[in-house]
Amino acid sequence: MTLTVRVPRELSARVPAEQRGPGLDRDAVRLLVSHGTEASHHAFRELPRLLCAGDLLVVNTSPTLAAAVDGRIGHARVVVHFSTRGDDGRWAVEIRDPDGTGTTRARAGTPADTEVVLPGGVRLVLEEPLSAESARLCWARVSGPSVLGMLRVHGRPIRYSYTERDQPLSVYQTVFAVPSADGSGSAEMPSAARPFTGRLVARLVSRGVLFAPVVLHTGVASAEAHEPPYPERFSVSGASARLINGVRAGGGRVIAVGTTAVRAVESAAGPDGVVRAAAGWTGLVVTPERGVRVVDGLLTGLHEPEASHLLMLEAVAGRAAVERGYEQAVRGHYLWHEFGDVHLVLPAKTAHPERCDGNQA
């Protein structure tokens, strides 16, 4: 879907919340709640009283990689964004041009067999596009030391032009991030979980809210083209599957923290709505036509009006709810992107947050 709202440039969050003033933490952002076409405005710290005892939050534990690194094609400087490692050892990468301001811009197509020289003796040879629909990402054959080792030493987090400056990798790790045994992770932060702090998680647990960890290693977003997501690695454990199924059977709500968590849990759900342990690659694109089988709500950031992620929001709550929510977000001067404010999207058919017994602040 494409929304008719226009998001002014000044609504882009340029720095993390904790850097906007003394005494602030990550949870110092705003929370827009769309309950069907009704919208209400809150501080994110109010989330515990807006959820019911027995509700469950599905969280993505994938850590963020320092996935951007400087390189050269001949004498030309380029920036490589490492997206996804394939089963055959190749990497899906995006080659971008430095824009002179510390960020990058899209690069015109780079032909196959082009060699990219990277720090630490790593070399890439570009091969075929990752997708027939777009040549933005392509598979690259790697020679030399390991890519993950090179990124740990020479990489930095992927940054886009709406942000003010480079940030350390710790800024891009969520409170739920767990290092992977093989060093893999997400090219870009699963940012819907960024406002959570340990203190807020403890308050949610004390209210009776449950957590189910899943893993989905996110690839590079399409900052300009807004393409559907590419296949990504995911894992849903048997323990998380049982917890999700139990909450649904008991009448609790399953609320995904981020579109990545939706993609993971919906990929593990059968046509009967039962979630089973699953792992591997998922190419699932959640659309209104496909619908959702498990998720009752979605806690997510604010996306560009052209972003393919909006189809997932529409699948959860309907087009009218998404349009109304985004109109309210623009009118209320909410902040966009990974350091911005958060949107809780709930369909009208679910219990209203203020009606949760014994869960008032």
Side-chain angles (χ1 to χ4, degrees):
M1 68 183 292
T2 298
L3 298 178
T4 57
V5 299
R6 186 185 69 84
V7 182
R9 289 180 60 86
E10 59 267 24
L11 294 187
S12 294
R14 295 178 58 78
V15 296
E18 64 272 23
Q19 296 178 15
R20 295 177 198 151
L24 298 180
D25 206 340
R26 290 180 173 218
D27 57 5
V29 297
R30 299 169 68 194
L31 174 65
L32 173 67
V33 178
S34 289
H35 196 274
T37 55
E38 298 178 14
S40 57
H41 306 274
H42 307 270
F44 185 74
R45 294 191 183 104
E46 295 179 65
L47 183 63
R49 77 170 183 85
L50 298 175
L51 298 180
C52 304
D55 283 344
L56 181 143
L57 294 176
V58 181
V59 296
N60 185 2
T61 63
S62 176
T64 307
L65 301 177
V69 67
D70 295 320
R72 288 191 175 273
I73 297 177
H75 295 293
R77 293 177 58 237
V78 296
V79 177
V80 180
H81 288 177
F82 281 86
S83 182
T84 305
R85 182 171 54 182
D87 293 333
D88 59 3
R90 296 186 301 171
W91 278 83
V93 300
E94 181 181 18
I95 310 299
R96 295 177 67 91
D97 288 323
D99 66 1
T101 66
T103 59
T104 61
R105 57 176 175 265
R107 180 181 175 87
T110 307
D113 296 326
T114 297
E115 184 179 70
V116 185
V117 179
L118 299 174
V122 176
R123 291 175 181 264
L124 304 180
V125 176
L126 305 184
E127 295 185 339
E128 74 274 11
L130 184 62
S131 164
E133 290 76 34
S134 171
R136 186 178 63 88
L137 288 171
C138 64
W139 288 111
R141 189 171 65 253
V142 181
S143 62
S146 81
V147 166
L148 291 172
M150 182 268 296
L151 293 178
R152 282 193 292 270
V153 176
H154 300 285
R156 60 185 179 276
I158 290 174
R159 175 192 159 206
Y160 292 112
S161 59
Y162 50 77
T163 57
E164 186 173 288
R165 56 183 177 269
D166 284 344
Q167 299 283 351
L169 184 58
S170 59
V171 167
Y172 290 88
Q173 302 293 4
T174 75
V175 71
F176 303 111
V178 177
S180 302
D182 62 357
S184 57
S186 290
E188 297 185 5
M189 172 177 55
S191 56
R194 191 184 188 279
F196 285 86
T197 63
R199 180 178 60 251
L200 184 64
V201 170
R203 287 179 57 210
L204 286 162
V205 170
S206 72
R207 293 285 194 178
V209 175
L210 305 170
F211 289 83
V214 299
V215 176
L216 188 135
H217 295 315
T218 66
V220 173
S222 52
E224 293 86 16
H226 301 299
E227 302 149 342
Y230 294 101
E232 295 166 317
R233 288 185 181 276
F234 83 104
S235 174
V236 176
S237 69
S240 287
R242 289 189 294 273
L243 183 56
I244 293 167
N245 293 333
V247 165
R248 297 187 73 226
R253 295 177 298 181
V254 175
I255 298 173
V257 179
T259 58
T260 63
V262 176
R263 197 180 199 199
V265 74
E266 291 289 330
S267 296
D272 57 359
V274 175
V275 180
R276 298 172 175 86
W281 292 89
T282 177
L284 176 65
V285 179
V286 178
T287 64
E289 293 73 28
R290 190 268 187 189
V292 288
R293 298 169 178 171
V294 178
V295 172
D296 300 304
L298 171 59
L299 186 70
T300 182
L302 292 161
H303 305 283
E304 293 288 355
E306 307 85 8
S308 62
H309 291 306
L310 293 176
L311 291 171
M312 185 181 290
L313 274 67
E314 185 179 349
V316 171
R319 184 182 183 94
V322 179
E323 288 183 334
R324 173 67 172 164
Y326 271 65
E327 289 169 1
Q328 289 289 309
V330 172
R331 188 175 303 156
H333 302 286
Y334 280 71
L335 296 181
W336 256 251
H337 302 302
E338 65 267 30
F339 298 143
D341 296 315
V342 190
H343 189 191
L344 176 58
V345 181
L346 296 167
K349 65 183 179 182
T350 64
H352 197 282
E354 278 76 17
R355 296 179 191 149
C356 296
D357 293 336
N359 213 22
Q360 296 296 311

